[in-house]
Amino acid sequence: MGREGMSRDEVLSALVAMKSGDKDWRKGRCFALVFNAGEEVEEIAREASVLYLSENGLNPLAFPSLGRMQEEVVDTVAQMLHGRTESCDAQGFMTSGGTESILLAVKAARDRASTLRGVSKPNMVLGESAHAAFHKAGHDYGVEIRKVSVKTDWRVDLNAMSNAIDSDTVLVVGSAPQYPQGVIDPIPEIAALASNAGTSCHVDACMGGFVLPFMESLGYPVAPWDFRVEGVTSISADIHKLGYSPKGASVLLHRTEEMRRHQIFFFDGWLGGFYASTGLLGTKAAGPIAAAWAVTHFLGEAGYMRLVEKTMEATKRLIEGVESIPGLQVLGEPDAHLVAIAAINPDEIDIFAVMDALSAGGWHLDRQRPPDSIHATVSAGTAGAIGDFLSDLRSAVVLVGSSRTDDRSTNYAPIGIDE
Ligand SMILES: *Cc1c(COP(=O)(O)O)cnc(C)c1O
């Protein structure tokens, strides 16, 4: 910021210039981070965001529309996840994203166990495939992490999970699907382990929440994972992933209002009066709430079904194409739209060197390990680019041959600062 302000034109052209180095996700070459449902959806999201650019989600009494929109979005997701039936009345809140939903699920489970069972040295049991946000939550909320291995199909090892659970376990976690290899954990069995231990069970459907329900409607086989599974006490579903809403929108649902109670912070002991909050934030952006309401209402079930159908067809083409390239494999059997690509023999082909070659063509996939692999989140916006991707991948494997790269770094969430 200079002493004198810049002109409007100077500001905007500076922004456009800065942006030129960023990933161009509109071309369909970005298999992570931004999920594109096309111009119409982007337009409605933009207009809704702009309409609520300056409002504050902190106080839904001042902005009743924001309270109403959040309620309606939560209701929509609760219905999608079969949380509103005769035997179930799931309740939740919108959050700013998957990480906030997961942090709050852990906090709620911890506080619930403390209230109901007097647990004072809490632990939670999860697979090594569970999202890093659970580790952040454990660290931030003082919940010991008991990490168990996955089996050869990349799903959590139930025996290991069972052995790790004890009377201080406040939460058992399953993912639908897990991010790294895209498989759904055995949720009914995980929920039964939790239920037998009298504790909470969270299903991380940050990725699957807006995919699996529509896959099921389209007739795809989907293993049980939502509130129809007894013992599941909370579920996170991100609207800003395959819900195609702009960033800043997720939903955390609890099976009952009593369970949700443990998510909320109530306070009346400072000089400013009563303070209640449902999430990590105080002042809260209203744009993402309005955009989430707008995009879900604009698309409707039919819109999501079209997008999921396109996504699943693209995923099938991607998997078949990768398996037809000599030396490459897809890890496990992805249950939805997440695909990990690896060398069959990592000593012969260095998949990170292959990724370097692909990057030159503007492709963006996460580099992840262990094991060394590259990760594609397929979405409607990348569907049209699968053919080009497969031919570039095939060429990259030939080009790279047996050469290797020294760069073993991974890039899901770097911040540019060393530990
Ligand atoms: C994206 C994701 C998260 C974290 O969500 P953010 O919105 O990035 O904070 C958690 N779990 C899974 C499975 C995810 O895909």
Side-chain angles (χ1 to χ4, degrees):
M1 182 171 78
R3 212 178 92 77
E4 302 296 333
M6 292 160 75
S7 73
R8 179 182 180 280
D9 286 352
E10 282 168 341
V11 167
L12 291 175
S13 50
L15 286 175
V16 171
M18 274 193 276
K19 214 165 192 266
S20 66
D22 294 350
K23 292 287 168 203
D24 185 0
W25 49 269
R26 284 191 186 82
K27 290 206 177 102
R29 297 194 164 213
C30 189
F31 286 91
L33 301 166
V34 182
F35 311 107
N36 181 10
E39 278 173 23
E40 271 189 333
V41 173
E42 193 189 344
E43 187 63 29
I44 195 108
R46 180 187 298 117
E47 288 187 21
S49 303
V50 168
L51 198 59
Y52 280 88
L53 185 65
S54 306
E55 279 69 15
N56 191 340
L58 173 67
N59 190 331
L61 297 184
F63 306 108
S65 62
L66 289 172
R68 178 170 167 195
M69 284 187 283
Q70 292 185 80
E71 210 175 294
E72 290 184 7
V73 167
V74 168
D75 287 349
T76 297
V77 179
Q79 268 152 21
M80 276 165 50
L81 310 191
H82 296 91
R84 296 282 169 83
T85 61
E86 268 172 30
S87 58
C88 182
D89 184 27
Q91 299 292 331
F93 294 111
M94 280 189 76
T95 70
S96 63
T99 297
E100 188 181 0
S101 291
I102 288 170
L103 291 170
L104 293 165
V106 171
K107 177 232 182 284
R110 182 199 68 178
D111 289 1
R112 179 170 178 241
S114 162
T115 306
L116 301 183
R117 292 151 53 206
V119 175
S120 60
K121 289 200 176 86
N123 69 70
M124 65 174 145
V125 177
L126 43 77
E128 56 186 330
S129 52
H131 195 273
F134 289 98
H135 295 263
K136 178 175 177 173
H139 181 265
D140 289 1
Y141 289 119
V143 178
E144 177 203 331
I145 304 278
R146 300 201 175 158
K147 187 172 76 171
V148 303
S149 54
V150 295
K151 309 233 292 189
T152 51
D153 64 1
W154 307 100
R155 296 183 175 90
V156 292
D157 182 333
L158 292 164
N159 281 332
M161 203 161 229
S162 174
N163 291 335
I165 295 172
D166 65 16
S167 59
D168 287 332
T169 300
V170 300
L171 186 65
V172 186
V173 174
S175 306
Q178 47 94 304
Y179 185 84
Q181 290 81 26
V183 296
I184 301 177
D185 283 325
I187 303 299
E189 290 80 2
I190 291 172
L193 288 176
S195 169
N196 290 339
T199 197
S200 301
C201 172
H202 182 76
V203 174
D204 178 7
C206 282
M207 266 299 180
F210 275 77
V211 176
L212 301 177
F214 303 107
M215 280 179 69
E216 191 179 331
S217 304
L218 288 162
Y220 285 89
V222 178
W225 66 278
D226 62 16
F227 283 114
R228 283 170 292 182
V229 178
E230 263 178 68
V232 169
T233 56
S234 59
I235 302 180
S236 48
D238 290 354
I239 317 175
H240 67 198
K241 301 253 179 74
L242 281 265
Y244 295 104
S245 188
K247 302 303 166 248
S250 171
V251 168
L252 173 61
L253 285 161
H254 303 267
R255 180 176 286 275
T256 67
E257 195 167 355
E258 181 275 322
M259 290 174 185
R260 186 183 72 168
R261 171 67 184 73
H262 300 284
Q263 177 183 331
I264 309 169
F265 178 73
F266 294 103
F267 186 64
D268 203 6
W270 69 310
L271 302 186
F274 183 68
Y275 180 102
S277 94
T278 61
L280 297 182
L281 307 178
T283 286
K284 186 170 168 180
I289 295 168
W293 191 94
V295 169
T296 50
H297 282 72
F298 179 72
L299 285 171
E301 279 173 46
Y304 281 114
M305 277 173 72
R306 275 195 303 276
L307 293 166
V308 168
E309 188 164 30
K310 196 171 170 185
T311 301
M312 292 314 298
E313 281 169 10
T315 306
K316 184 166 180 272
R317 270 185 283 135
L318 176 62
I319 292 171
E320 286 170 1
V322 168
E323 309 253 86
S324 76
I325 298 174
L328 293 190
Q329 63 173 332
V330 166
L331 296 178
E333 290 180 27
D335 285 316
H337 61 297
L338 307 175
V339 179
I341 302 165
I344 293 173
N345 182 348
D347 295 330
E348 279 169 16
I349 298 174
D350 179 3
I351 197 69
F352 288 167
V354 172
M355 190 59 233
D356 285 347
L358 285 169
S359 299
W363 298 103
H364 180 91
L365 286 81
D366 289 336
R367 302 151 61 102
Q368 63 177 11
R369 73 180 153 71
D372 290 357
S373 51
I374 56 176
H375 182 279
T377 300
V378 182
S379 62
T382 54
I386 298 291
D388 286 348
F389 175 72
L390 288 169
S391 67
D392 283 8
L393 179 61
R394 190 178 282 270
S395 311
V397 170
V398 173
L399 179 79
V400 165
S402 60
S403 68
R404 307 189 69 79
T405 169
D406 289 337
D407 181 6
R408 309 319 294 170
S409 67
T410 56
N411 64 341
Y412 177 89
I415 56 168
I417 296 172
D418 287 338
E419 232 177 298

